[in-house]
Amino acid sequence: MSSLVNKKLAVKEDFRLSQKGIDWLKEWNTEAEIATSISQIAQKVVEILVNVPGMTQAHSRDFRRSTPIFTLKDGTVVKIFINPANVKHIFLADSNNKMLFGGYVGWIHTKGLNQAIEKIKHSLT
């Protein structure tokens, strides 16, 4: 019976998505442009970040929402985004604002991410 209900919902022809809904879905599904090369400094940063407990790959759609917090010696930009659930994301962008890395940690690992950010800032800027 549930498959019958799902079929009826899926083929409902009188439903039209609003322009706001269309715009939201387009933004939600738009991925960031990805860099094709990575500097040695950015590689060091990635190694630091992937070793933060709880680090998980972030969706590239959040890259556009992130805010620059500092720039590394090689021009790589470190960016932060905190989502509505207060989950901290970190992104790396090359000098052309193409995404190099994206990750996030849950609340219990935020302190470790903050420590990694400070380490990166003090040793590679």
Side-chain angles (χ1 to χ4, degrees), residues 78-103:
V78 178
K79 302 170 81 175
I80 295 294
F81 168 65
I82 299 174
N83 73 10
N86 207 30
V87 174
K88 194 170 198 171
H89 294 59
I90 185 164
F91 293 94
L92 302 178
D94 70 8
S95 58
N96 295 313
N97 201 36
K98 293 183 181 179
M99 189 173 125
L100 295 167
F101 175 87

Side-chain angles (χ1 to χ4, degrees), residues 17-31 61-62 64-65 84:
L17 195 58
S18 69
Q19 187 60 48
K20 182 177 181 179
I22 291 169
D23 292 344
W24 190 87
L25 286 173
K26 283 181 182 177
E27 179 183 345
W28 182 260
N29 289 297
T30 300
E31 295 189 17
R61 70 175 168 259
D62 293 325
R64 287 177 293 130
R65 296 179 177 105

Side-chain angles (χ1 to χ4, degrees), residues 45-81:
V45 174
V46 169
E47 282 302 314
I48 292 168
L49 293 173
V50 298
N51 285 295
V52 171
M55 184 59 69
T56 305
Q57 288 183 355
H59 195 288
S60 69
R61 70 175 168 259
D62 293 325
F63 178 77
R64 287 177 293 130
R65 296 179 177 105
S66 61
T67 303
I69 57 171
F70 57 87
T71 303
L72 305 177
K73 296 174 190 177
D74 67 346
T76 299
V77 179
V78 178
K79 302 170 81 175
I80 295 294
F81 168 65

